[in-house]
């Protein structure tokens, strides 16, 4: 009995928004954005393209890689802070499109840590209940629709996209793909990274729209300071629990929030930068989609092989953070 990653998929929209484009929108510069964040460009979804549309393409690619049909899915979990609707859930919308009548579906909201949380939930469910043969986990975001395009502190950071991982319950004696996990949350810091309006605390009103409360608010410096030690501590914990040395890890895939955060985490973990995967320069921060997009790129580009150790670590609103050690 074991659980493996049977397929991965990803999707980013065609439209590229460069730093030069942003220079025309807010008081910023390509130099500031590149040196402070490592971001050069990001992708922006079309106006008629919702989160489920991107998740559907990423998920289809994961199913195709595994040779699995939508009707075979037991469950669909979508990690997102930008669902198509408050309800029905994005997972239910995908169930219809995949033609997966046997799948139960839900959305999971843990901001940038959403994919890690979802993988842990899916993996744990599948271990307890062997009847769940295939579970599709998607991380998908249309952050462009909750970005305040007049706020230079945040609008240069975010992008749109989707990643997907298909987990499969198989009959063999392997230990399974998640060797160790360490997930956390601290609601005391909920107000440093949030979207104030649109929920029951502050429903949409003329004032909430006028005051741009339906977009991401972030205390950047504070978030930065908490992100590095949190990801490092969770990463060390999973390595220790699994008895794996940092030198044995083939690739570290950190959430792509800021290149300086990524490099600080790598340095503290004592992992050389060439073994830390980065695509932030092209996509910016895609929240729950980020690690899924990275994982799919490393699989498709042959950067990891079956049996390799891969360390995932993320940090985001909530606050939420954590790490998973995978054996691919
Ligand atoms: N262009 C030019 N100047 C800018 C810009 C910009 N786009 N944005 C901010 N500045 C200015 C600020 O106004 C400030 O000016 P001041 O000193 O006159 O007030 C100056 O640059 C420095 O600002 P800082 O906030 O100190 O810049 P910092 O080096 O901290 O970088 C950043 C800001 C990039 C946001 C960084 O703090 C960061 O990456 N934080 C973490 C983000 C993160 O990890 N988020 C978690 C996930 S997101 C989620 O869950 C949805």
């Amino acid at each position: 009995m074991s659980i493996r990653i049977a397929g991965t998929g990803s999707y980013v929209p065609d439209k590229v928004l460069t730093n030069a484009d942003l220079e025309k929108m807010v008081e910023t510069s390509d130099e500031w954005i590149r040196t402070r964040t490592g971001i050069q460009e990001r992708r922006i979804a079309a106006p008629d393209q919702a989160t489920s549309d991107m998740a559907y393409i990423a998920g289809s690619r994961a199913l195709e890689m595994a040779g699995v049909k939508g009707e075979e899915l037991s469950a669909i979990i979508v990690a997102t802070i930008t669902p198509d609707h408050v309800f029905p859930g994005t997972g239910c919308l995908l169930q219809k499109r995949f033609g997966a009548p046997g799948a139960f579906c839900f959305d999971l909201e843990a901001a940038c840590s959403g994919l890690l949380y979802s993988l842990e939930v899916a993996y744990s469910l599948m271990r307890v209940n062997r009847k769940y043969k295939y579970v599709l986990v998607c991380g998908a975001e249309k952050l462009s629709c909750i970005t305040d395009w007049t706020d230079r502190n945040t609008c240069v950071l975010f992008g749109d996209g989707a990643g997907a991982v298909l987990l499969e319950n198989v009959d063999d004696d392997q230990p399974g793909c998640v060797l160790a996990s360490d997930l956390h949350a601290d609601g005391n810091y909920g107000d440093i990274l949030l979207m104030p309006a649109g929920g029951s605390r502050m429903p949409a009103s003329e004032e909430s729209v006028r005051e741009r409360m339906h977009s991401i608010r972030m205390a950047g410096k504070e978030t930065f300071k908490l992100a590095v030690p949190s990801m490092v501590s969770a990463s060390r914990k999973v390595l220790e629990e699994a008895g794996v040395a940092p030198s044995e890890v083939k690739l570290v895939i950190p959430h792509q929030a800021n290149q300086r955060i990524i490099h600080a985490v790598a340095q503290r973990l004592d992992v050389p930068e060439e073994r830390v995967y980065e695509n932030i320069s092209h996509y910016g921060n895609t929240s729950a989609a980020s690690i899924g997009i990275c994982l799919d790129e490393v699989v498709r580009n042959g950067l990891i092989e079956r049996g390799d150790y891969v360390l995932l670590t993320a940090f985001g609103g909530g606050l939420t953070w954590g790490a998973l050690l995978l054996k691919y």
Side-chain angles (χ1 to χ4, degrees):
M1 291 187 339
S2 172
I3 295 157
R4 68 192 278 268
I5 294 176
T8 60
S10 62
Y11 169 80
V12 289
D14 294 336
K15 185 180 169 188
V16 176
L17 185 73
T18 64
N19 291 348
D21 296 327
L22 281 163
E23 283 175 349
K24 294 176 200 138
M25 297 161 63
V26 289
E27 181 79 38
T28 191
S29 67
D30 172 53
E31 204 259 336
W32 192 96
I33 303 171
R34 269 190 297 103
T35 54
R36 293 295 182 113
T37 72
I39 302 167
Q40 295 178 23
E41 58 190 30
R42 64 290 288 145
R43 300 299 180 96
I44 304 295
D48 63 352
Q49 201 173 26
T51 293
S52 69
D53 300 321
M54 294 187 280
Y56 177 66
I57 300 173
S60 300
R61 289 174 177 166
L63 290 174
E64 194 186 351
M65 183 188 280
V68 171
K69 294 194 174 64
E71 67 200 42
E72 297 177 76
L73 291 173
S74 315
I76 301 170
I77 305 174
V78 182
T80 186
I81 53 169
T82 49
D84 290 26
H85 315 285
V86 172
F87 72 93
T90 314
C92 297
L93 304 177
L94 288 185
Q95 187 223 36
K96 179 182 166 192
R97 292 184 67 178
F98 282 122
F104 71 96
C105 308
F106 61 97
D107 293 4
L108 188 150
E109 198 269 87
C112 305
S113 311
L115 194 85
L116 295 198
Y117 269 54
S118 300
L119 283 173
E120 171 79 342
V121 168
Y123 191 79
S124 304
L125 274 174
M126 294 171 84
R127 268 176 47 172
V128 171
N129 201 329
R130 311 292 305 173
K131 76 179 177 185
Y132 301 131
K133 173 82 175 154
Y134 293 109
V135 176
L136 182 67
V137 173
C138 298
E141 303 284 12
K142 187 178 180 181
L143 294 179
S144 59
C145 71
I146 59 163
T147 297
D148 178 351
W149 293 103
T150 66
D151 175 17
R152 70 175 184 174
N153 290 295
T154 52
C155 76
V156 302
L157 302 173
F158 302 111
D160 300 332
V165 181
L166 180 69
L167 295 179
E168 177 186 12
N169 242 326
V170 286
D171 290 324
D172 67 23
D173 294 333
Q174 300 302 311
C177 63
V178 178
L179 298 185
S181 59
D182 187 51
L183 300 179
H184 298 272
D186 189 345
N188 289 308
Y189 292 101
D191 58 351
I192 69 168
L193 186 48
L194 82 164
M195 187 171 93
S200 58
R201 178 69 61 195
M202 193 188 293
S205 64
E206 278 181 31
E207 189 195 354
S208 69
V209 173
R210 195 171 53 246
E211 299 296 325
R212 301 182 184 281
M213 305 292 251
H214 296 269
S215 49
I216 301 168
R217 299 279 172 97
M218 181 172 72
K221 233 186 219 335
E222 211 172 341
T223 309
F224 192 118
K225 277 189 201 145
L226 291 163
V228 176
S230 306
M231 289 200 282
V232 169
S233 145
S235 298
R236 285 195 181 131
K237 192 92 176 280
V238 293
L239 289 171
E240 200 181 292
E241 197 180 312
V244 171
S247 58
E248 294 178 89
V249 174
K250 183 72 179 285
L251 265 186
V252 178
I253 302 182
H255 169 50
Q256 309 285 304
N258 184 316
Q259 195 173 54
R260 288 185 294 144
I261 295 179
I262 294 170
H263 290 176
V265 169
Q267 198 179 21
R268 293 199 196 179
L269 287 176
D270 206 14
V271 175
E273 275 170 24
E274 62 271 17
R275 285 201 282 116
V276 178
Y277 193 72
E278 276 184 47
N279 61 15
I280 187 169
S281 59
H282 297 301
Y283 306 135
N285 179 351
T286 56
S287 192
S290 128
I291 286 182
I293 296 172
C294 290
L295 189 59
D296 185 46
E297 287 184 351
V298 306
V299 167
R300 287 179 194 266
N301 293 327
L303 300 181
I304 55 171
E305 287 168 14
R306 289 289 177 189
D308 283 341
Y309 295 123
V310 182
L311 175 65
L312 313 180
T313 183
F315 180 91
L319 294 177
T320 57
W321 70 94
L324 291 189
L325 183 67
L326 300 182
K327 189 163 189 185
Y328 176 63

